[in-house]
Amino acid sequence: MLRTETATPRYGRLCRVFTAEQSHSGFGLEAQQLSVRAFTATHGWTLIADYSDMASRKDDRRPGLQAALARCRQFGAVLVAARLDRITRRAHTLSGLLEEGYQIRAADKPGADDLMMRIYAAMTQKERELISERTRSALAAAKARGTALAGC
């Protein structure tokens, strides 16, 4: 079992940004780091590892996520992100991690237990699907008009 009791619970922090601009500016990562720091400070948790990814919201094989999971498994630590969608936008992935014994928390959902995390993950997955649908529709409309969308 991954869950271990220690005098001071430990956590690994995971942040994720979508673009190189967010990664290099520090604003995306910095805001996430501050959010997690504030959340964990209220619990008195100790940071053992800090990871970040620059990747699509669809990819759960990100190096930062995998390294954070390995470190949390090694130390029986909680994996914490500013928001659940920084970890995954797939309900199946989150449910699998919880079934494997990982402790996962999101700073923006401070009172959420494992059941609530699963519900939030399902809603996050649906939002990812809606974003994808809206993007496809916008691209099709732009193509029909004969224009291209900047950044797409």
Side-chain angles (χ1 to χ4, degrees), residues 16 18 55-58 83 85-86 88-90 121-140 149 152:
R16 179 167 57 91
F18 301 131
S56 164
R57 28 185 189 264
K58 292 181 182 180
R83 296 188 337 237
D85 69 352
R86 303 297 93 181
T88 185
R89 284 190 175 228
R90 294 175 189 253
M123 293 185 313
T124 297
Q125 178 175 321
K126 182 62 177 175
E127 178 59 22
R128 177 182 55 88
E129 293 164 0
L130 293 172
I131 289 168
S132 181
E133 184 179 307
R134 288 190 301 264
T135 301
R136 281 192 306 275
S137 294
L139 289 171
L149 294 178
C152 292

Side-chain angles (χ1 to χ4, degrees), residues 81-101:
R83 296 188 337 237
L84 182 58
D85 69 352
R86 303 297 93 181
I87 297 171
T88 185
R89 284 190 175 228
R90 294 175 189 253
H92 179 75
T93 298
L94 179 78
S95 187
L97 292 172
L98 293 172
E99 288 299 317
E100 289 177 33

Side-chain angles (χ1 to χ4, degrees), residues 39 45 78-81 87 98 103-107 112-114 117:
F39 170 73
W45 295 351
V78 180
L79 178 60
V80 183
I87 297 171
L98 293 172
Q103 300 174 76
I104 297 175
R105 294 295 174 258
D113 60 10
D114 286 359
M117 294 298 284

Side-chain angles (χ1 to χ4, degrees), residues 34-47:
L34 291 172
S35 176
V36 171
R37 188 177 305 134
F39 170 73
T40 56
T42 65
H43 296 356
W45 295 351
T46 300
L47 178 67

